[in-house]
Amino acid sequence: SVVTKPHHVWPTLNDEGWISVENDLKDLILADFGKRNNVNVASLTSSEVRDIILGMEIAAPSQQRQQMAELEKQTREQSQMTATTTRSVNKHGDEIFTHTTSSYENE
């Protein structure tokens, strides 16, 4: 039986009891994550397990691979872009040269 002292919120357990509770909660959290994201919990890295336990929102490994592929594609596209230098003059007559390499800067 679990004893909770008066005016205490948490039960009174010894060190082994708290270790057991911690492991049970960890297993419960990981099982829930695995079920929600259709992921084998055994395939998670220790840093992913830590992030899940601490409550960070992490993407399933398949989503992470897809995001990495999109980033690599964007990087390849940007490396193929040409640089554009634009010359303009402000109202004081100063020449301003703007050097742009990405498409969103040209808009």
Side-chain angles (χ1 to χ4, degrees):
S1 134
V2 177
V3 177
T4 303
K5 291 183 180 179
H7 306 294
H8 284 200
V9 177
W10 301 104
T12 304
L13 299 174
N14 59 15
D15 290 343
E16 293 81 23
W18 281 115
I19 291 170
S20 173
V21 169
E22 180 181 343
N23 288 330
D24 292 345
L25 286 173
K26 180 182 90 170
D27 294 341
L28 178 69
I29 292 168
L30 292 175
D32 180 60
F33 178 84
K35 184 177 179 183
R36 282 188 289 123
N37 293 295
N38 197 21
V39 173
N40 181 3
V41 176
S43 67
L44 296 172
T45 65
S46 60
S47 61
E48 289 173 328
V49 169
R50 182 196 66 228
D51 291 345
I52 293 166
I53 298 299
L54 294 176
M56 293 180 67
E57 291 294 326
I58 67 168
S62 60
Q63 291 175 330
Q64 289 175 339
R65 283 191 291 274
Q66 181 181 6
Q67 289 171 348
M68 287 178 64
E70 289 173 4
L71 284 174
E72 290 171 355
K73 179 182 174 188
Q74 289 175 353
T75 303
R76 281 193 306 272
E77 289 172 354
Q78 286 182 352
S79 66
Q80 296 172 357
M81 292 190 169
T82 57
T84 305
T85 302
T86 307
R87 178 189 161 274
S88 57
V89 180
N90 66 10
K91 67 180 182 178
H92 302 293
D94 299 328
E95 284 187 332
I96 300 172
F97 291 93
T98 307
H99 184 75
T100 57
T101 54
S102 58
S103 60
Y104 73 89
E105 291 176 335
N106 290 327
E107 295 176 359

